[in-house]
Amino acid sequence: MSDRYCVFGHPVGHSKSPRIHTVFAEQTGESLRYEAIEAPLDDFAGAWRAFVAEGGRGANVTVPFKEQAYRLADVLSPRAQRAGAVNTLMVGKHERVYGDTTDGVGLVRDLQAHAAPLEGARILVLGAGGAVRGILEPLLAANPAALMIANRTAAKAERLASDFADLGETTGGGFDAVVGTFDLVINGTSASLGGELPPLPDELFADGALAYDMMYGAEPTVFLRWAAKRGARTVDGLGMLVEQAAESFFLWRNKRPDTAAVREMLRRSR
């Protein structure tokens, strides 16, 4: 019998994760079944327990359940502890639940695949929610010259910057505090989902800068369209989705799939 895995979300019907992990399993010769489960907003823990009772061995967790998954885990990885959120669960020894987050490493690997400036770079991250919190540690581990967090609510960005200041030169503030040019600008806000753009200065991108939106869709987001008009290279978050999935797959099965082939497959099918 194949091992069972899933992705929990609400909504989750649009998720590409079942397709991604099915291809990963075919690549690596692993026997598993992966499905999408829409958990009730008020009972994520119950949905997880029911899944495990039916033989589930691990899960990806997407919005809005990442903080609930963090609280549910018996054992947390150091990076999950730092992020305060979990996107990967698995059942370990003695049925203890292990929680990890693969979003940050997924982002950095995708950035590296696109030759993004990281070491010694000036990085601007837009947004201060859970999605951003999960990517800061691996970004700072790449040794940028400076990292600024900008958010509509300045105090939230300032607190988040303070939480990670021990890892590198980190500042936070409102969008009106953004000055100068940056080598890498990452949009971690949900504004793209509503077709909105954070209020940003036109002179934002240094020569050769990359604009990265953690969101993705059939067409470039409004942020990426805006950035392209101002001379930046642009990349959406589809590769991050694949790379974080590959890291989860490795945690579960101890095998690394070919992410480049899967990224290309998904882009062709859009």
Side-chain angles (χ1 to χ4, degrees):
M1 182 181 294
S2 299
D3 290 338
R4 289 185 65 198
Y5 297 88
C6 77
V7 56
F8 286 108
H10 191 109
V12 78
H14 66 287
S15 175
K16 299 182 185 297
S17 294
R19 186 178 181 190
I20 292 170
H21 284 279
T22 296
V23 175
F24 285 169
E26 291 170 352
Q27 286 181 352
T28 58
E30 292 292 290
S31 177
L32 61 86
R33 183 158 54 98
Y34 190 106
E35 60 194 294
I37 297 177
E38 185 164 304
L41 290 173
D42 60 352
D43 194 21
F44 167 73
W48 163 257
R49 286 192 293 267
F51 177 67
V52 173
E54 295 167 359
R57 302 307 299 166
N60 289 126
V61 183
T62 187
V63 292
F65 299 123
K66 293 184 181 183
E67 291 182 359
Q68 293 180 51
Y70 176 88
R71 294 191 294 269
L72 180 148
D74 299 311
V75 181
L76 292 164
S77 71
R79 60 190 178 188
Q81 291 178 30
R82 188 94 202 200
V86 158
N87 82 329
T88 304
L89 293 169
M90 66 179 180
V91 181
K93 292 181 179 179
H94 311 299
E95 300 303 298
R96 286 167 65 79
V97 180
Y98 176 82
D100 203 344
T101 180
T102 65
D103 286 333
V105 68
L107 170 66
V108 170
R109 285 179 183 159
D110 193 40
L111 288 170
Q112 291 169 336
H114 290 91
L118 291 171
E119 185 173 3
R122 281 176 46 82
I123 299 176
L124 173 64
V125 179
L126 307 175
V132 167
R133 189 175 189 92
I135 67 171
L136 292 178
E137 182 179 18
L139 278 176
L140 289 165
N143 296 315
L147 185 149
M148 179 181 182
I149 303 163
N151 189 57
R152 197 172 302 277
T153 304
K156 191 172 183 181
E158 291 165 359
R159 286 195 300 271
L160 189 54
S162 178
D163 288 346
F164 286 82
D166 61 308
L167 300 182
E169 181 65 33
T170 311
T171 59
F175 293 124
D176 59 354
V178 176
V179 294
T181 59
F182 295 84
D183 305 297
L184 172 63
V185 181
I186 299 171
N187 183 24
T189 73
S190 58
S192 290
L193 297 176
E196 300 176 359
L197 182 71
L200 299 168
D202 284 331
E203 302 299 323
L204 186 64
F205 301 102
D207 290 342
L210 178 72
Y212 190 100
D213 200 320
M214 290 169 62
M215 303 297 166
Y216 62 90
E219 301 294 333
T221 66
V222 63
F223 168 72
L224 294 183
R225 294 197 302 271
W226 178 86
K229 289 178 181 178
R230 286 152 183 81
R233 295 188 295 130
T234 60
V235 178
D236 69 13
L238 185 63
M240 174 183 173
L241 173 71
V242 175
E243 293 295 342
Q244 63 82 24
E247 183 70 7
S248 295
F249 190 90
F250 177 75
L251 291 172
W252 294 329
R253 313 301 294 190
N254 200 34
K255 290 186 178 180
R256 291 204 178 275
D258 178 4
T259 55
V262 177
R263 286 200 309 270
E264 182 59 29
M265 176 195 73
L266 292 177
R267 293 202 183 277
R268 285 198 311 266
S269 66
R270 288 203 292 184

